[in-house]
């Protein structure tokens, strides 16, 4: 796992711009604290920051492969999980290897397959490959966009990077937010429309897309999507196929030359990951698996049950660690620390995010990084298997909007009155909602329930899941820490996408089919546990601390945030402890408005 930067201009030489490249690359030091490298060409410059996970000696980047038909240079961020199979195919076709890293396999796969290489990859990746013979730059991003890749075009120069902060190091690129950016931030946020950012003229390569930059400009193309097909497997066949895909996805992602662990909350998803990982370690004769969980000071005293947080984790974690004999570590975070790191979390994202949902993960990764470099997590099972309450609630299904984009009137009122007159959040959300639903493929053979659930599954996979993937990447890589997400294996997602809803929600339960399959290898208490989201603090001192931080900013009438937001409305929220804000922010995740995570330091909202 790493970060990379670059720029290309095929009409004018840019070889003199090394200082710019180094400045961009240095901004990604958190993503790659172990090594750095550069490629300076006449028309393309590439920079790389490396986090060493595989083949310390052989994985240096940018990596160059010389061939009779030109040189090829790669800068890459990610992990290819079918490296072994690709390497075997390449060796059968005459390729030789100097090391065992996936970077070398990926580069030589491009030499072998050309632009079709994306159809042969299973992994999480973003990369750029420069072809000196064709004078062409190839950019690609993985199926679900686990790894980021941003870009902009200034005059004839394509500028690209793993994070927005690196883009802004290029001369002349401004941090400008226009009407669309405000609509994305306050209407869609903390999700975002695929391909966009909140900043004017700065974009991302969409998930499952590649780009070709040559003399004619930048051409973008989609190489994969979830395709609706009739599910013909019987119920027993479906269960067996799921077990195979789960085991294969998880064990593939356990390859590492550095210490590895799993995150364990005692929920169904993390327990499945941990079960397969612990079995793998035992089978390979490795030491017991290390597992990590997160908790907060005084959470046991302040926990209150709710529909979204029905129970705490500790009881279930204990069941799993005793069952699997893992070496467990419990990370406990205190309220002042959680609040103080809100600003770091936003810097890691380069834009407003998910408040303490972000900062807690950032702190979790920071603590685990002291002992490990890689972890597997159960993220995204809810999106793949239908685990959220909105899959079952009629009000969400009939809302005619994103089920998490609620409280629109209150969001609109958060805007400064002058801005609010020009921006209509509901209209923007309605447009994006209809635009997204138009992509859903419905089959004549689909039942009424499956048709309905395909739509909300599409929205969840392409919008909500991307928010969580962005969070996982930024909060982990801010600490030079790698998170792997086996449930995001595209083969698993392809298969589950077409399982009829009646089977997927077996017995009328969220993730009913996954629970049924897991009964073969998990304790009943874990299988029957009601879904519980990522743990958050229930300590009232946290909200008091954040309220105090925001009040300090609001006291300054000239604070830049007040040129964007409605100061009087925010003060009313603060004075009533959020009671004037009728509904929670962003669905289940935030029980109080946090101004989308941005009320922490006025210098970041100017």
């Amino acid at each position: 796992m790493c970060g990379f930067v670059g720029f290309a201009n095929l009409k004018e030489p840019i070889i003199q711009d090394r200082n710019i490249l180094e400045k961009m690359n240095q901004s990604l030091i958190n993503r790659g604290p172990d090594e750095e490298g550069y490629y300076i060409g006449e028309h393309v410059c590439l920079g790389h920051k490396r986090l060493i996970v595989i083949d310390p000696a052989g994985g240096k980047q940018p990596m160059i492969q010389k061939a009779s038909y030109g040189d090829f240079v790669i800068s890459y961020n990610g992990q290819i999980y079918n490296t072994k199979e690709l390497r075997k195919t390449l060796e059968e076709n005459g390729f030789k290897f100097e090391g065992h890293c996936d970077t070398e396999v990926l580069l030589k796969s491009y030499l072998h397959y050309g632009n079709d290489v994306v159809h042969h990859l299973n992994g999480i990746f973003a990369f750029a490959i420069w072809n000196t013979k064709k004078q062409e730059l190839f950019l690609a991003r993985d199926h679900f966009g686990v790894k980021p890749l941003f870009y902009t075009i200034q005059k004839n120069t394509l500028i690209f990077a793993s994070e927005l902060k690196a883009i802004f190091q290029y001369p002349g690129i401004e941090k400008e937010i226009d009407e669309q950016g405000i609509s994305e931030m306050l209407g869609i946020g903390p999700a975002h429309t695929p391909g966009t950012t909140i900043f004017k003229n700065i974009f991302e390569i969409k998930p499952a897309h590649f780009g070709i930059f040559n003399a004619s400009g930048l051409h973008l193309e989609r190489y994969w999507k979830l395709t609706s097909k009739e599910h013909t497997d019987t119920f027993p066949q479906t269960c067996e196929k799921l077990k195979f895909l789960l085991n294969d996805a998880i064990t593939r992602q356990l390859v590492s030359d550095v210490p590895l662990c799993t995150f364990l909350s005692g929920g169904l998803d993390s327990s499945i990951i941990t079960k397969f990982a612990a079995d793998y370690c035992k089978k390979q004769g490795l030491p017991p698996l290390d597992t990590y969980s997160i908790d907060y000071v005084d959470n046991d005293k302040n926990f209150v049950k709710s529909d979204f947080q029905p129970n705490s984790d500790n009881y279930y974690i204990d069941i799993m660690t005793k069952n699997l004999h893992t070496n467990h570590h419990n990370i406990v975070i205190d309220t002042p620390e959680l609040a103080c790191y809100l600003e770091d979390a936003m810097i890691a994202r380069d834009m407003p995010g998910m408040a303490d949902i972000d900062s807690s993960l950032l702190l979790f990764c920071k603590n685990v990084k002291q002992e490990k470099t890689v972890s597997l997590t159960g993220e995204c099972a809810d999106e793949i298997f239908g685990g959220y309450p909105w899959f079952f609630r009629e009000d969400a299904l009939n809302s005619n909007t994103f089920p998490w984009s609620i409280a629109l009137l209150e969001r609109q009122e958060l805007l400064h009155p002058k801005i609010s007159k020009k921006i209509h959040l509901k209209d923007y959300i309605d447009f994006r909602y209809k635009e997204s639903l138009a992509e859903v493929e419905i089959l004549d053979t689909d039942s009424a329930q499956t048709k309905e659930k395909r739509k909300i599954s599409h929205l969840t996979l392409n919008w909500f899941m991307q928010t969580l993937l962005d969070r996982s990447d930024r909060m982990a890589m801010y600490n030079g820490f790698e998170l792997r997400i086996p449930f995001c294996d595209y083969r698993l997602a392809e298969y589950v996408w077409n399982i009829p809803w009646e089977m997927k929600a077996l017995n009328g339960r969220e993730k009913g089919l996954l629970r049924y399959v897991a009964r073969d290898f998990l304790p009943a208490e874990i299988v029957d546990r009601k879904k519980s989201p990522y743990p958050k603090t229930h300590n009232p001192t946290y909200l008091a601390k954040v309220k105090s931080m925001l009040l300090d900013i609001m006291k300054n009438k000239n604070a830049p945030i007040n040129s964007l937001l409605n100061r009087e409305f925010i003060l009313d929220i603060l004075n009533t402890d959020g009671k004037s804000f009728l509904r929670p922010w962003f669905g289940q995740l935030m029980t109080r408005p946090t101004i989308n995570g941005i009320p922490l330091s006025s210098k970041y909202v100017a």
Side-chain angles (χ1 to χ4, degrees):
M1 291 296 172
C2 313
F4 67 91
V5 301
F7 43 88
N9 187 322
L10 304 184
K11 297 183 178 180
E12 301 173 12
I14 56 175
I15 196 168
Q16 73 276 13
D17 292 337
R18 182 184 179 99
N19 289 341
I20 298 172
L21 186 70
E22 290 180 348
K23 191 176 181 181
M24 291 174 66
N25 205 36
Q26 190 62 27
S27 71
L28 299 182
I29 191 169
N30 289 55
R31 295 187 74 91
D34 299 330
E35 285 183 352
E36 69 177 16
Y38 297 94
Y39 170 83
I40 310 293
E42 183 179 4
H43 293 289
V44 170
C45 292
L46 297 173
H48 190 266
K49 282 286 186 180
R50 187 183 183 198
L51 174 66
I52 297 176
V53 174
I54 300 288
D55 193 3
K60 298 180 184 297
Q61 295 188 51
M63 184 178 288
I64 302 174
Q65 176 66 50
K66 294 185 178 295
S68 59
Y69 41 92
D71 293 349
F72 296 81
V73 189
I74 186 171
S75 205
Y76 155 60
N77 167 31
Q79 195 72 49
I80 305 301
Y81 299 131
N82 63 331
T83 296
K84 185 177 179 180
E85 293 90 336
L86 286 170
R87 180 172 177 140
K88 182 180 178 182
T89 298
L90 293 170
E91 288 175 336
E92 290 172 350
N93 283 273
F95 284 88
K96 306 294 182 183
F97 290 87
E98 298 179 9
H100 66 276
C101 73
D102 58 338
T103 306
E104 185 180 6
V105 172
L106 175 56
L107 180 55
K108 291 179 178 177
S109 293
Y110 181 78
L111 268 67
H112 183 59
Y113 293 112
N115 296 347
D116 285 339
V117 67
V118 289
H119 298 292
H120 298 271
L121 302 178
N122 179 352
I124 53 177
F125 55 83
F127 61 87
I129 297 178
W130 170 239
N131 182 330
T132 61
K133 177 72 172 179
K134 294 178 69 175
Q135 291 286 284
E136 186 171 272
L137 185 71
F138 183 81
L139 304 165
R141 193 168 175 216
D142 64 71
H143 300 74
F144 284 114
V146 178
K147 293 286 105 182
L149 183 51
F150 299 98
Y151 74 93
T152 189
I153 297 177
Q154 187 179 79
K155 298 180 180 178
N156 296 316
T157 302
L158 172 71
I159 304 107
F160 53 93
S162 296
E163 292 185 2
L164 287 167
K165 58 175 61 69
I167 297 279
F168 289 128
Q169 295 300 317
Y170 194 90
I173 298 179
E174 301 295 333
K175 302 173 186 175
E176 183 178 352
I177 300 177
D178 58 10
E179 288 85 350
Q180 177 175 303
I182 294 173
S183 297
E184 285 284 328
M185 181 168 59
L186 269 296
I188 303 292
H192 72 278
T193 302
T196 72
T197 74
I198 66 171
F199 297 102
K200 185 177 180 180
N201 296 325
I202 299 179
F203 312 95
E204 63 172 7
I205 301 290
K206 291 182 182 179
H209 280 67
F210 66 81
I212 299 171
F213 184 68
N214 53 29
S216 63
L218 178 65
H219 168 72
L220 299 170
E221 185 174 323
R222 187 172 192 165
Y223 66 83
W224 177 85
K225 68 175 182 176
L226 288 172
T227 302
S228 298
K229 300 176 183 177
E230 185 176 1
H231 185 77
T232 58
D233 287 350
T234 64
F235 182 73
Q237 288 172 333
T238 300
C239 293
E240 287 304 310
K241 184 70 175 288
L242 280 180
K243 279 190 277 190
F244 167 79
L245 288 170
L246 285 168
N247 181 62
D248 189 65
I250 296 165
T251 54
R252 282 180 183 275
Q253 298 190 27
L254 291 168
V255 177
S256 174
D257 289 341
V258 294
L260 181 146
C261 63
T262 67
F263 286 175
L264 177 63
S265 68
L268 178 69
D269 312 330
S270 66
S271 296
I272 289 173
I273 301 294
T274 300
K275 166 62 178 175
F276 283 109
D279 286 353
Y280 175 86
C281 290
K282 185 176 181 180
K283 188 180 297 183
Q284 297 295 319
L286 300 172
L289 178 71
D290 282 284
T291 53
Y292 289 81
S293 61
I294 185 172
D295 204 353
Y296 306 88
V297 171
D298 289 336
N299 245 18
D300 54 337
K301 300 177 184 177
N302 297 296
F303 179 79
V304 178
K305 289 185 178 182
S306 70
D307 287 343
F308 294 118
Q309 192 83 35
N311 40 49
S312 60
D313 292 338
N314 293 332
Y315 169 77
Y316 299 95
I317 292 170
D318 191 51
I319 291 174
M320 285 303 300
T321 56
K322 289 180 179 178
N323 184 275
L324 297 177
H325 306 289
T326 67
N327 182 25
H328 189 69
H329 315 259
N330 187 36
I331 306 297
V332 181
I333 295 173
D334 204 355
T335 295
E337 189 180 28
L338 184 64
C340 288
Y341 272 84
L342 285 167
E343 185 170 326
D344 287 75
M346 191 174 63
I347 292 170
R349 268 192 187 259
D350 292 319
M351 64 182 74
M354 301 168 75
D356 58 298
I357 304 297
D358 282 353
S359 63
S360 60
L361 181 59
L362 187 150
L363 282 167
F364 190 17
C365 293
K366 179 183 179 181
N367 280 275
V368 179
K369 171 65 177 179
Q370 296 174 16
E371 299 175 347
K372 304 294 178 185
T373 304
V374 180
S375 181
L376 274 65
T377 171
E379 199 87 90
C380 298
D382 290 309
E383 289 78 9
I384 302 294
F385 284 92
Y388 289 114
W390 57 63
F391 283 95
F392 299 86
R393 287 173 46 175
E394 289 301 319
D395 59 340
L397 294 170
N398 298 324
S399 66
N400 292 317
T401 189
F402 300 109
W404 50 86
S405 287
I406 57 176
L408 289 185
L409 292 177
E410 292 89 341
R411 289 181 180 224
Q412 184 74 40
E413 197 166 354
L414 280 172
L415 288 168
H416 189 284
K418 290 183 179 180
I419 296 177
S420 185
K421 291 178 181 179
K422 302 177 182 179
I423 292 174
H424 305 284
L425 298 181
K426 186 179 185 305
D427 291 346
Y428 185 80
I429 291 173
D430 286 348
F431 168 73
R432 292 302 190 189
Y433 175 76
K434 293 173 183 177
E435 179 185 55
S436 187
L437 280 187
E439 299 177 357
V440 183
E441 294 180 346
I442 303 295
L443 302 180
D444 293 338
T445 54
D446 286 343
S447 67
Q449 282 199 68
T450 299
K451 289 178 182 178
E452 179 184 60
K453 298 309 191 294
R454 277 201 196 276
K455 294 177 182 179
I456 200 164
S457 293
H458 173 85
L459 298 173
T460 303
L461 287 165
N462 289 281
W463 294 76
F464 191 78
M465 189 168 82
Q466 186 62 58
T467 300
L468 301 182
L469 292 176
D470 290 348
R471 165 180 172 260
S472 294
D473 175 81
R474 308 307 187 276
M475 299 308 117
M477 295 305 294
Y478 190 77
N479 293 285
F481 185 73
E482 175 183 326
L483 281 183
R484 297 179 181 176
I485 308 170
F487 281 108
C488 259
D489 186 294
Y490 79 92
R491 302 164 306 153
L492 178 63
E494 280 180 336
Y495 187 71
V496 177
W497 171 255
N498 287 306
I499 296 175
W501 180 253
E502 294 81 358
M503 191 184 298
K504 198 181 300 184
L506 192 66
N507 299 320
R509 286 213 60 182
E510 78 281 359
K511 295 181 290 191
L513 179 60
L514 185 61
R515 294 179 189 277
Y516 182 89
V517 169
R519 288 189 185 279
D520 287 348
F521 49 83
L522 289 183
E525 295 98 324
I526 303 298
V527 172
D528 294 329
R529 183 187 181 189
K530 187 175 181 181
K531 173 190 161 41
S532 192
Y534 179 83
K536 64 187 272 81
T537 182
H538 298 274
N539 194 326
T541 61
Y542 171 76
L543 285 177
K545 175 65 175 176
V546 173
K547 177 181 177 180
S548 174
M549 294 165 69
L550 182 53
L551 274 171
D552 286 344
I553 294 175
M554 290 296 106
K555 288 176 183 177
N556 179 9
K557 292 184 179 181
N558 296 318
I561 195 172
N562 291 314
S563 64
L564 173 65
L565 301 181
N566 185 338
R567 182 172 183 268
E568 297 304 319
F569 183 56
I570 294 171
L571 288 172
D572 186 45
I573 292 173
L574 291 169
N575 291 332
T576 61
D577 287 330
K579 293 176 183 177
S580 63
F581 202 88
L582 301 178
R583 286 171 284 182
W585 185 273
F586 205 62
Q588 69 183 46
L589 294 173
M590 300 179 187
T591 57
R592 289 289 187 274
T594 59
I595 319 306
N596 206 15
I598 60 177
L600 309 178
S601 173
S602 59
K603 63 185 176 182
Y604 290 107
V605 296

